[in-house]
Amino acid sequence: MVRALKAPATTSAATTTSLPDVQEKVAAIIADIRTRGDQAVREYSGRFDGWQPESFRLSAEQIEQIVARVPQQVLADIEFVQRQVRGFAERQLASMQEFEVETLPGVHLGQKHIPVSAAGAYVPGGRYPLLASAHMTILTAKTAGVPRVVACTPPIRGEVPDATVAAMHLAGADEIYLLGGVQAVVSMALGTETIAPVDMLAGPGNAFVAEAKRQLFGEIGIDLFAGPTEVLVVADAAADPFVVAVDLLSQAEHGPDSPAVLITTSEELGRSVIEHVDRLLPEMPTRDNAEPAWRDNGEVHVVEDLDAAYALADTYASEHVQVLTAQPREALAKMRNYGALFLGEGTCVSYGDKVIGTNHVLPTRGAARYTGGLWVGKYLKTVTYQEVTDPAASAELGEVCGRAARVELFEGHARSGDVRAAKFGGAQLSWSPDEFARS
């Protein structure tokens, strides 16, 4: 039994397709840059960002000057956060084991991890310069061992975003470009006369950036198909309704289409949270985003018990799930579908977004049903290799391969197996009897 104290006013946040005009405009920009390269990039940067420098790439001297302008406390905070992100990524990398195993006498199978050769990182700017995205994309790629990481961020109202550039530099970006939007994503993906192409792209962005990544997927790899930021809170009667309200609004400020959902076992708490939100919103500096997000996409549901709460939460497969209950670690065993889990009142989604060390590039729009977020392994290709050194084993495999392939009507495959069964095991080749004849 689920009772809705507040239902969403729209279903727009749940749509999985881009608006046709976004698709069309992005397709046109991709085609234009594919044809005209740097000239087209320069024109789009001038049109959308009012930015047409002699070179979009920042030189080492420019980066040094920019970093020198950043307040020392900001630099110290960037370095603190990057230590957290790097440390967690290093532990992830250490958990990925290469191995080789002998499955039959003389049959050696193995796997190894190879970093992609080049990765592109998009760090959004505009109203919200998300310098934390530099940590999540660039630093994670470098920890994985990617030798070349290209990073782009837009100018903000014609100015250099000093702190963002500092974060990109300290994260280890090999090339930094002051270039934003679709033109940045396409330049990194396809390459131009002055930007060599990358193998995969990562990083959040607006609807146009997300659509560009979607259209380019296949030619290059991407981290995730991005959608609006999502937050879902599971709370029981022990939760503080003021904390719940603040945490819901902390994510609603990302954009007017950001879902903010509360599932609780306490109707009293649910109603109190709504009252707190209504009181906090009018004075919130980011009200122009948070208010429509809460009005149109905010939800509050009351359920019978926590098992029902976890089951309902799993149907959302939310990007962020915050568990504010008396026993929050129960969610680790009870839940399956989430991008990231935040356990207990001492933890909040904003920590994950900004400072704690786990990656904030996470699945949205239900994708948490089948994938996690960006992590060090995303930049690695896990490949396999095989070697058969024992003639008898090759002969045995050849006989099985011949039979198995012919069931599937793959005669060529079968003959590759037959050849080895004959050469190493003395089997007869009915389709070429003179080969490997034994005296």
Side-chain angles (χ1 to χ4, degrees), residues 88 161 163 217 245 366 399:
F88 191 74
F217 178 59
E399 290 185 8

Side-chain angles (χ1 to χ4, degrees), residues 47-61:
R47 182 190 309 175
F48 299 132
D49 290 324
W51 186 256
Q52 291 181 308
E54 182 177 341
S55 172
F56 291 106
R57 182 174 178 178
L58 295 177
S59 67
E61 293 76 18

Side-chain angles (χ1 to χ4, degrees), residues 13 28 51-52 56 80 148 160 175 207-208 241 309 330 334 404 418:
W51 186 256
Q52 291 181 308
F56 291 106
F80 171 86
R148 174 175 172 255
V160 177
E175 301 167 27
F208 289 91
E330 288 181 352
K334 300 283 188 178
D418 293 347

